[in-house]
Coordinates of all heavy atoms in Angstrom, one line a residue:
M1 N -17.9 40.7 -5.7 CA -18.9 41.6 -5.4 C -18.2 42.8 -4.7 O -18.2 43.9 -5.2 CB -19.9 41.0 -4.5 CG -21.0 41.9 -4.0 SD -22.4 41.0 -3.3 CE -22.1 41.4 -1.6
F2 N -17.6 42.6 -3.5 CA -17.0 43.7 -2.8 C -15.7 44.2 -3.5 O -15.3 45.3 -3.4 CB -16.7 43.3 -1.3 CG -18.0 43.1 -0.5 CD1 -18.3 41.9 0.0 CD2 -18.8 44.2 -0.3 CE1 -19.5 41.8 0.7 CE2 -20.0 44.1 0.4 CZ -20.3 42.8 0.9
L3 N -15.0 43.2 -4.1 CA -13.7 43.6 -4.8 C -14.0 44.6 -5.9 O -13.3 45.6 -6.0 CB -13.0 42.4 -5.4 CG -11.7 42.6 -5.9 CD1 -10.7 43.2 -4.9 CD2 -11.1 41.3 -6.5
A4 N -15.1 44.4 -6.6 CA -15.5 45.4 -7.6 C -15.8 46.8 -7.0 O -15.5 47.8 -7.5 CB -16.7 44.9 -8.4
D5 N -16.4 46.8 -5.8 CA -16.7 48.0 -5.1 C -15.5 48.7 -4.7 O -15.4 50.0 -4.9 CB -17.5 47.7 -3.8 CG -19.0 47.2 -4.1 OD1 -19.5 47.4 -5.2 OD2 -19.5 46.6 -3.2
V6 N -14.5 48.0 -4.3 CA -13.2 48.6 -3.9 C -12.5 49.2 -5.1 O -12.1 50.4 -5.1 CB -12.3 47.6 -3.2 CG1 -10.9 48.1 -3.0 CG2 -12.8 47.1 -1.9
K7 N -12.5 48.5 -6.2 CA -11.9 49.0 -7.4 C -12.6 50.2 -8.0 O -12.0 51.0 -8.7 CB -11.9 47.9 -8.5 CG -10.9 46.8 -8.2 CD -10.9 45.7 -9.2 CE -9.9 44.6 -8.9 NZ -9.9 43.5 -9.9
N8 N -13.9 50.3 -7.7 CA -14.7 51.5 -8.1 C -14.7 52.6 -7.2 O -15.5 53.6 -7.3 CB -16.1 51.0 -8.5 CG -16.2 50.1 -9.7 OD1 -15.4 50.3 -10.6 ND2 -17.1 49.2 -9.7
G9 N -13.9 52.6 -6.1 CA -13.7 53.7 -5.2 C -14.6 53.7 -4.0 O -14.7 54.8 -3.4
S10 N -15.2 52.6 -3.6 CA -16.0 52.6 -2.4 C -15.1 52.9 -1.2 O -13.9 52.5 -1.3 CB -16.7 51.3 -2.2 OG -17.7 51.1 -3.1
P11 N -15.6 53.5 -0.1 CA -14.7 53.7 1.0 C -14.3 52.4 1.6 O -15.1 51.4 1.8 CB -15.6 54.5 2.0 CG -17.0 54.3 1.5 CD -16.9 54.0 0.0
V12 N -13.0 52.3 2.0 CA -12.4 51.1 2.5 C -11.4 51.3 3.5 O -10.7 52.4 3.5 CB -11.8 50.2 1.3 CG1 -10.7 51.0 0.6 CG2 -11.4 48.9 1.7
V13 N -11.2 50.4 4.5 CA -10.1 50.5 5.4 C -9.3 49.2 5.1 O -9.8 48.2 4.8 CB -10.5 50.6 6.9 CG1 -11.2 51.9 7.2 CG2 -11.4 49.4 7.3
V14 N -8.0 49.3 5.3 CA -7.1 48.2 4.9 C -6.3 47.8 6.2 O -5.8 48.7 6.9 CB -6.1 48.7 3.8 CG1 -5.2 47.5 3.5 CG2 -6.8 49.1 2.6
G15 N -6.2 46.5 6.4 CA -5.5 46.0 7.5 C -6.4 45.3 8.6 O -7.6 45.6 8.6
V16 N -5.8 44.5 9.3 CA -6.5 43.7 10.3 C -7.1 44.6 11.4 O -8.3 44.6 11.7 CB -5.6 42.6 10.9 CG1 -6.3 41.9 12.1 CG2 -5.2 41.6 9.9
K17 N -6.2 45.5 12.0 CA -6.7 46.3 13.1 C -7.8 47.3 12.7 O -8.8 47.4 13.4 CB -5.5 47.0 13.8 CG -4.5 46.1 14.5 CD -3.4 46.9 15.1 CE -2.4 46.0 15.8 NZ -1.3 46.7 16.3
Q18 N -7.6 48.0 11.6 CA -8.6 48.9 11.1 C -9.9 48.2 10.8 O -11.0 48.7 11.0 CB -8.0 49.7 10.0 CG -6.9 50.7 10.3 CD -7.3 51.7 11.4 OE1 -8.4 52.2 11.3 NE2 -6.4 51.9 12.3
S19 N -9.7 47.0 10.2 CA -10.9 46.2 9.8 C -11.7 45.8 11.1 O -12.9 45.9 11.1 CB -10.5 45.0 9.0 OG -10.1 45.5 7.7
Q20 N -11.0 45.3 12.1 CA -11.6 44.9 13.3 C -12.4 46.1 14.0 O -13.5 45.9 14.5 CB -10.6 44.3 14.3 CG -10.1 42.9 13.9 CD -9.0 42.4 14.7 OE1 -8.1 43.1 15.1 NE2 -9.1 41.1 15.1
K21 N -11.8 47.2 13.9 CA -12.4 48.4 14.5 C -13.7 48.7 13.8 O -14.8 49.0 14.4 CB -11.5 49.6 14.5 CG -10.4 49.6 15.5 CD -9.5 50.8 15.3 CE -8.2 50.6 16.2 NZ -7.3 51.8 16.0
A22 N -13.7 48.7 12.4 CA -14.8 49.0 11.6 C -15.9 48.0 11.8 O -17.1 48.4 11.9 CB -14.4 49.1 10.1
I23 N -15.6 46.7 11.9 CA -16.6 45.7 12.1 C -17.2 45.8 13.5 O -18.4 45.8 13.6 CB -15.9 44.3 12.0 CG1 -15.4 44.1 10.5 CG2 -16.9 43.2 12.4 CD1 -14.4 42.9 10.4
A24 N -16.4 46.1 14.5 CA -16.9 46.2 15.9 C -17.8 47.4 16.0 O -18.8 47.4 16.8 CB -15.8 46.4 16.9
R25 N -17.6 48.5 15.2 CA -18.4 49.7 15.2 C -19.6 49.6 14.3 O -20.3 50.6 14.0 CB -17.6 50.9 14.9 CG -16.5 51.2 15.9 CD -15.6 52.3 15.4 NE -14.6 52.6 16.4 CZ -13.4 53.1 16.1 NH1 -13.1 53.5 14.9 NH2 -12.5 53.4 17.1
D26 N -19.8 48.4 13.7 CA -20.9 48.2 12.8 C -20.9 49.1 11.6 O -21.9 49.6 11.0 CB -22.3 48.3 13.5 CG -22.5 47.3 14.5 OD1 -22.1 46.1 14.3 OD2 -23.1 47.6 15.6
Q27 N -19.7 49.4 11.1 CA -19.5 50.2 9.9 C -19.2 49.4 8.6 O -19.0 50.0 7.6 CB -18.3 51.2 10.2 CG -18.5 52.2 11.3 CD -17.3 53.0 11.7 OE1 -16.2 52.5 11.4 NE2 -17.5 54.1 12.2
A28 N -19.0 48.1 8.8 CA -18.6 47.3 7.7 C -19.8 46.8 6.8 O -20.8 46.3 7.3 CB -17.8 46.1 8.2
A29 N -19.7 47.0 5.5 CA -20.6 46.4 4.6 C -20.2 45.0 4.2 O -21.0 44.1 4.0 CB -20.7 47.3 3.3
G30 N -18.9 44.8 4.1 CA -18.3 43.5 3.8 C -16.8 43.5 4.0 O -16.2 44.5 4.0
V31 N -16.3 42.3 4.0 CA -14.9 42.1 4.3 C -14.2 41.3 3.2 O -14.8 40.3 2.8 CB -14.6 41.5 5.7 CG1 -13.2 41.2 5.9 CG2 -15.1 42.4 6.8
L32 N -13.0 41.7 2.8 CA -12.2 40.9 1.8 C -11.0 40.3 2.5 O -10.3 41.1 3.3 CB -11.8 41.9 0.7 CG -12.9 42.5 -0.1 CD1 -12.4 43.8 -0.8 CD2 -13.3 41.5 -1.2
I33 N -10.8 39.1 2.3 CA -9.7 38.4 2.9 C -8.9 37.7 1.8 O -9.4 36.9 1.0 CB -10.1 37.4 4.0 CG1 -10.8 38.2 5.2 CG2 -9.0 36.5 4.5 CD1 -11.3 37.3 6.3
A34 N -7.6 37.9 1.9 CA -6.7 37.2 0.9 C -6.5 35.7 1.3 O -6.2 35.5 2.5 CB -5.3 37.9 0.8
L35 N -6.6 34.9 0.3 CA -6.5 33.4 0.6 C -5.0 33.0 1.0 O -4.9 32.0 1.7 CB -6.9 32.6 -0.6 CG -8.4 32.6 -0.9 CD1 -8.7 31.9 -2.2 CD2 -9.2 32.0 0.2
D36 N -4.0 33.8 0.5 CA -2.7 33.4 0.9 C -2.2 34.1 2.2 O -1.0 34.0 2.5 CB -1.7 33.7 -0.3 CG -1.6 35.2 -0.6 OD1 -2.5 36.0 -0.2 OD2 -0.7 35.6 -1.4
A37 N -3.0 34.8 2.9 CA -2.6 35.4 4.2 C -2.6 34.3 5.3 O -3.4 33.3 5.1 CB -3.6 36.5 4.5
D38 N -1.8 34.5 6.3 CA -1.7 33.5 7.4 C -3.1 33.5 8.1 O -3.7 34.5 8.5 CB -0.6 33.9 8.3 CG 0.8 33.7 7.8 OD1 0.9 32.8 6.9 OD2 1.7 34.4 8.2
E39 N -3.5 32.2 8.4 CA -4.7 32.0 9.1 C -4.7 32.7 10.5 O -5.7 33.2 11.0 CB -5.0 30.5 9.2 CG -6.3 30.2 10.0 CD -7.6 30.7 9.3 OE1 -7.6 30.8 8.1 OE2 -8.5 31.0 10.0
H40 N -3.6 32.7 11.2 CA -3.5 33.3 12.5 C -3.7 34.8 12.5 O -4.1 35.4 13.4 CB -2.2 32.9 13.3 CG -1.0 33.7 12.8 ND1 -0.3 33.3 11.7 CD2 -0.5 34.8 13.3 CE1 0.7 34.1 11.6 NE2 0.6 35.1 12.5
V41 N -3.5 35.4 11.3 CA -3.8 36.8 11.1 C -5.2 37.0 10.8 O -5.9 37.9 11.3 CB -2.9 37.4 10.0 CG1 -3.2 38.8 9.6 CG2 -1.4 37.3 10.4
T42 N -5.8 36.3 9.9 CA -7.1 36.5 9.4 C -8.2 35.8 10.2 O -9.4 36.2 10.2 CB -7.3 36.0 7.9 OG1 -7.0 34.6 7.9 CG2 -6.4 36.7 7.0
G43 N -7.9 34.8 11.0 CA -8.8 34.1 11.8 C -9.7 34.9 12.7 O -10.9 34.8 12.7
P44 N -9.1 35.8 13.5 CA -9.9 36.7 14.4 C -10.9 37.6 13.6 O -12.0 37.8 14.1 CB -8.8 37.5 15.1 CG -7.6 36.7 15.1 CD -7.6 36.0 13.7
V45 N -10.5 38.0 12.4 CA -11.4 38.8 11.6 C -12.5 38.0 11.1 O -13.7 38.4 11.2 CB -10.6 39.5 10.4 CG1 -11.6 40.2 9.5 CG2 -9.5 40.4 10.9
K46 N -12.2 36.8 10.7 CA -13.3 35.9 10.2 C -14.3 35.6 11.4 O -15.5 35.6 11.2 CB -12.7 34.5 9.7 CG -12.0 34.7 8.4 CD -11.4 33.3 8.0 CE -10.5 33.4 6.9 NZ -9.9 32.1 6.6
D47 N -13.8 35.3 12.6 CA -14.6 35.1 13.7 C -15.5 36.2 14.0 O -16.7 36.1 14.3 CB -13.7 34.7 14.9 CG -13.0 33.4 14.8 OD1 -13.4 32.6 13.9 OD2 -12.0 33.1 15.5
L48 N -14.9 37.4 14.0 CA -15.7 38.7 14.3 C -16.8 38.9 13.2 O -17.9 39.2 13.6 CB -14.8 39.9 14.3 CG -15.4 41.2 14.8 CD1 -16.0 41.1 16.2 CD2 -14.3 42.3 14.8
C49 N -16.5 38.6 12.0 CA -17.5 38.7 10.9 C -18.6 37.7 11.1 O -19.8 38.1 10.9 CB -16.8 38.5 9.5 SG -15.8 39.8 9.0
E50 N -18.3 36.5 11.5 CA -19.3 35.5 11.7 C -20.2 35.9 12.9 O -21.4 35.8 12.8 CB -18.6 34.2 12.1 CG -19.7 33.0 12.2 CD -19.0 31.7 12.4 OE1 -17.9 31.5 12.0 OE2 -19.6 30.8 13.1
A51 N -19.6 36.5 13.9 CA -20.4 36.9 15.1 C -21.3 38.1 14.8 O -22.4 38.2 15.3 CB -19.5 37.3 16.2
K52 N -20.8 39.0 13.9 CA -21.6 40.2 13.5 C -22.5 40.0 12.2 O -23.2 40.9 11.8 CB -20.6 41.3 13.2 CG -19.9 41.8 14.5 CD -20.8 42.8 15.2 CE -20.0 43.5 16.3 NZ -20.9 44.6 16.9
G53 N -22.4 38.8 11.6 CA -23.2 38.6 10.4 C -22.7 39.3 9.2 O -23.5 39.7 8.3
I54 N -21.4 39.6 9.1 CA -20.8 40.3 8.0 C -20.4 39.3 6.9 O -19.7 38.3 7.2 CB -19.6 41.2 8.5 CG1 -20.0 42.1 9.6 CG2 -18.9 41.9 7.3 CD1 -20.9 43.2 9.2
V55 N -20.6 39.7 5.7 CA -20.3 38.8 4.5 C -18.8 38.9 4.3 O -18.2 40.0 4.3 CB -21.0 39.2 3.3 CG1 -20.6 38.4 2.1 CG2 -22.5 39.1 3.5
V56 N -18.1 37.8 4.1 CA -16.7 37.7 3.8 C -16.5 37.2 2.4 O -17.1 36.2 2.0 CB -15.9 36.8 4.8 CG1 -14.5 36.6 4.4 CG2 -16.1 37.3 6.2
E57 N -15.7 37.9 1.7 CA -15.4 37.5 0.3 C -13.9 37.3 0.2 O -13.1 38.0 0.9 CB -15.7 38.7 -0.7 CG -15.5 38.3 -2.1 CD -15.9 39.5 -3.0 OE1 -17.0 40.0 -2.8 OE2 -15.1 39.9 -3.9
T58 N -13.4 36.2 -0.5 CA -12.0 36.0 -0.6 C -11.4 36.5 -1.9 O -12.1 36.6 -2.9 CB -11.7 34.4 -0.5 OG1 -12.5 33.8 -1.5 CG2 -12.1 33.9 0.9
V59 N -10.2 36.8 -1.8 CA -9.4 37.3 -3.0 C -8.2 36.4 -3.1 O -7.6 36.0 -2.0 CB -8.9 38.8 -2.7 CG1 -8.1 39.3 -3.9 CG2 -10.1 39.7 -2.5
P60 N -7.8 36.0 -4.2 CA -6.7 35.0 -4.4 C -5.4 35.3 -3.7 O -4.8 34.5 -3.0 CB -6.5 34.8 -5.9 CG -7.8 35.2 -6.5 CD -8.4 36.3 -5.6
T61 N -5.0 36.6 -3.8 CA -3.6 36.9 -3.2 C -3.7 38.2 -2.5 O -4.5 39.1 -2.8 CB -2.5 37.0 -4.3 OG1 -2.8 38.1 -5.1 CG2 -2.5 35.7 -5.1
M62 N -2.7 38.4 -1.6 CA -2.6 39.6 -0.8 C -2.2 40.7 -1.8 O -2.6 41.9 -1.6 CB -1.5 39.4 0.3 CG -1.9 38.5 1.4 SD -0.6 38.2 2.6 CE -0.1 39.8 3.1
Q63 N -1.3 40.4 -2.8 CA -0.9 41.4 -3.7 C -2.1 42.0 -4.5 O -2.2 43.2 -4.7 CB 0.1 40.8 -4.7 CG 0.9 41.8 -5.5 CD 1.8 42.7 -4.6 OE1 2.3 42.2 -3.6 NE2 1.9 44.0 -4.9
E64 N -3.0 41.1 -4.9 CA -4.2 41.5 -5.7 C -5.1 42.4 -4.8 O -5.6 43.4 -5.3 CB -4.9 40.3 -6.2 CG -6.2 40.7 -7.0 CD -6.9 39.5 -7.5 OE1 -6.4 38.3 -7.5 OE2 -8.1 39.6 -7.9
L65 N -5.2 42.0 -3.6 CA -6.1 42.8 -2.7 C -5.4 44.2 -2.4 O -6.1 45.2 -2.4 CB -6.3 42.1 -1.3 CG -7.2 42.8 -0.3 CD1 -8.5 43.2 -0.9 CD2 -7.4 41.9 0.9
G66 N -4.1 44.2 -2.2 CA -3.4 45.5 -2.0 C -3.6 46.4 -3.2 O -3.9 47.6 -3.0
R67 N -3.4 45.9 -4.4 CA -3.5 46.6 -5.6 C -4.9 47.2 -5.8 O -5.1 48.4 -6.1 CB -3.2 45.8 -6.8 CG -2.0 46.3 -7.6 CD -1.7 45.4 -8.8 NE -1.2 44.1 -8.3 CZ -1.5 42.9 -8.7 NH1 -2.3 42.7 -9.7 NH2 -1.0 41.8 -8.2
A68 N -5.9 46.4 -5.5 CA -7.3 46.9 -5.6 C -7.6 48.0 -4.6 O -8.4 48.9 -4.9 CB -8.3 45.7 -5.3
C69 N -6.9 48.0 -3.5 CA -7.1 49.0 -2.5 C -6.3 50.3 -2.7 O -6.3 51.2 -2.0 CB -6.8 48.5 -1.1 SG -7.9 47.2 -0.5
G70 N -5.4 50.2 -3.8 CA -4.6 51.3 -4.1 C -3.3 51.5 -3.3 O -2.8 52.6 -3.3
I71 N -2.9 50.4 -2.8 CA -1.6 50.5 -2.0 C -0.6 49.6 -2.8 O -0.9 48.7 -3.6 CB -1.7 50.0 -0.6 CG1 -2.2 48.6 -0.4 CG2 -2.7 51.0 0.2 CD1 -2.3 48.1 1.0
H72 N 0.7 49.9 -2.5 CA 1.8 49.2 -3.2 C 2.4 48.0 -2.5 O 3.4 47.5 -2.9 CB 2.9 50.2 -3.5 CG 2.5 51.4 -4.3 ND1 2.2 51.2 -5.7 CD2 2.2 52.7 -4.0 CE1 1.8 52.4 -6.2 NE2 1.8 53.3 -5.2
V73 N 1.7 47.5 -1.5 CA 2.1 46.3 -0.8 C 0.9 45.4 -0.7 O -0.3 45.8 -0.9 CB 2.6 46.6 0.6 CG1 3.9 47.4 0.5 CG2 1.6 47.4 1.5
G74 N 1.1 44.2 -0.3 CA 0.0 43.2 -0.2 C -0.9 43.6 1.1 O -0.4 44.2 2.0
A75 N -2.1 43.2 1.0 CA -3.0 43.4 2.2 C -3.7 42.0 2.5 O -4.2 41.3 1.6 CB -4.1 44.4 1.8
S76 N -3.7 41.7 3.7 CA -4.4 40.4 4.1 C -5.9 40.6 4.3 O -6.7 39.7 4.0 CB -3.8 39.8 5.4 OG -3.8 40.8 6.4
V77 N -6.3 41.8 4.7 CA -7.7 42.1 5.0 C -8.0 43.5 4.6 O -7.2 44.4 4.8 CB -8.0 41.9 6.5 CG1 -9.4 42.2 6.8 CG2 -7.7 40.5 7.0
A78 N -9.2 43.7 4.0 CA -9.7 45.0 3.8 C -11.2 45.0 4.0 O -11.9 43.9 3.8 CB -9.5 45.4 2.3
T79 N -11.7 46.1 4.5 CA -13.2 46.2 4.8 C -13.8 47.3 4.0 O -13.4 48.4 4.1 CB -13.4 46.4 6.3 OG1 -12.8 45.3 7.0 CG2 -14.8 46.6 6.7
V80 N -14.9 46.9 3.3 CA -15.7 47.9 2.6 C -16.6 48.6 3.6 O -17.4 47.8 4.3 CB -16.5 47.3 1.4 CG1 -17.3 48.3 0.7 CG2 -15.5 46.6 0.5
L81 N -16.6 49.9 3.7 CA -17.4 50.6 4.7 C -18.8 50.8 4.1 O -19.0 51.0 2.9 CB -16.7 51.9 5.1 CG -15.4 51.7 5.7 CD1 -14.8 53.1 6.0 CD2 -15.4 50.9 7.0
Q82 N -19.8 50.9 5.0 CA -21.1 51.2 4.6 C -21.2 52.7 4.2 O -20.5 53.5 4.8 CB -22.1 51.0 5.8 CG -22.2 49.6 6.2 CD -23.2 49.4 7.4 OE1 -23.8 50.4 7.8 NE2 -23.2 48.3 7.9
T83 N -22.0 53.0 3.3 CA -22.2 54.4 2.9 C -23.6 54.8 3.4 O -24.6 54.0 3.2 CB -22.1 54.7 1.4 OG1 -23.0 53.8 0.7 CG2 -20.7 54.4 0.9
R84 N -23.7 55.9 4.1 CA -25.0 56.2 4.7 C -25.6 57.5 4.1 O -25.0 58.3 3.6 CB -24.9 56.4 6.2 CG -24.4 55.1 6.8 CD -24.3 55.3 8.3 NE -23.6 54.1 8.8 CZ -23.7 53.7 10.0 NH1 -24.4 54.3 10.9 NH2 -23.1 52.6 10.4

């Protein structure tokens, strides 16, 4: 669901810190997390999403998530931003 949005050009922030900021500011529509990312990296994002009621979608690999976001490296977390 959200992965298709990212591939179709929806606004997105990439990375743990930027995602945490967007979630805390209630700007997140949904979060993508790579299954092969380290749990100690993604765990705090998952916890924040649970607390804020944000939907989390998983992507098989960091490489696939990075590619979908238009970057040339892997990404552990990406957040699709709300459009207002």
Side-chain angles (χ1 to χ4, degrees):
M1 178 168 109
F2 293 116
L3 186 60
D5 292 339
V6 171
K7 290 179 179 179
N8 290 326
S10 291
V12 64
V13 294
V14 181
V16 172
K17 290 181 184 179
Q18 292 301 318
S19 291
Q20 287 174 318
K21 288 178 187 177
I23 296 163
R25 294 176 181 154
D26 296 321
Q27 297 172 332
V31 174
L32 297 158
I33 295 180
L35 291 174
D36 63 345
D38 289 333
E39 179 64 30
H40 77 275
V41 172
T42 60
V45 175
K46 290 178 188 176
D47 293 342
L48 187 56
C49 287
E50 185 176 332
K52 292 278 192 171
I54 304 294
V55 176
V56 174
E57 183 178 312
T58 58
V59 178
T61 66
M62 292 173 55
Q63 195 65 34
E64 182 179 343
L65 183 54
R67 242 180 289 137
C69 294
I71 61 175
H72 298 289
V73 294
S76 56
V77 178
T79 299
V80 178
L81 301 176
Q82 296 177 6
T83 54
R84 296 180 192 205

